[in-house]
Amino acid sequence: MNSNTHSIATYCSIVLMTGCTIMEIIHKQTTVFYILYLFWFDEFIRTVFDRIAYYSKKVPTADAVQFLGNNKERFFMLGIYLVFIIVFFGIIIDWKELDLIGLNFEIFSFKNPYFNGSLFIFTLREGFLFYTNSKVRYAKDIFSNGILTLHLSLLLGILIWFLSAQKWQFMVEYANVFAVIPFLILKIIFELKLKE
């Protein structure tokens, strides 16, 4: 698979994921939990496909031990992030807003069509890259672009929550936009820099 094919898959994924998220904003169904859980799943799907590549012998033999070790570390880190995202962003920051907790529960239980659509897009992208890539895969460590995006998004999420908690008028009136647009920008920047 040439780099042009990889770029097309990446661009299509970004455009479709952004489209689904914009539809969420329009329908006022977006929460910080939505975007962070979505980013988490994107990295989880990538990590799963890396493990599949390992078992499919698409990893250089000399790097197999390091690849598997890095993959396990990524799963461990994603596990920690998942607990934090669910507890803090899914429950604690929206504790007094039962309607937002309800939205978060719908997202968590895969009852949100836009969220599910984005997951489907991510899975198609990784499946396409996996089956069209004749090259071997190399280990991505816990400091990969995907993990860094997730880590920075968590910090950004805490900052946005803090600003929202101050009841600043511009944050209250346009809460959905201010809660999601910075995450999308961050995601797009890291996706465009992602090299596999």
Side-chain angles (χ1 to χ4, degrees), residues 90-134:
I91 300 172
I92 292 176
I93 68 170
D94 294 326
W95 186 250
K96 295 181 180 179
E97 303 286 340
L98 293 180
D99 55 335
L100 292 181
I101 290 181
L103 283 175
N104 292 343
F105 182 75
E106 285 182 8
I107 294 162
F108 178 74
S109 57
F110 305 104
K111 293 181 180 178
N112 183 297
Y114 300 112
F115 182 82
N116 294 345
S118 293
L119 294 188
F120 182 69
I121 291 164
F122 294 152
T123 305
L124 279 181
R125 179 200 63 213
E126 290 303 309
F128 173 78
L129 293 175
F130 179 82
Y131 286 109
T132 59
N133 192 355
S134 59

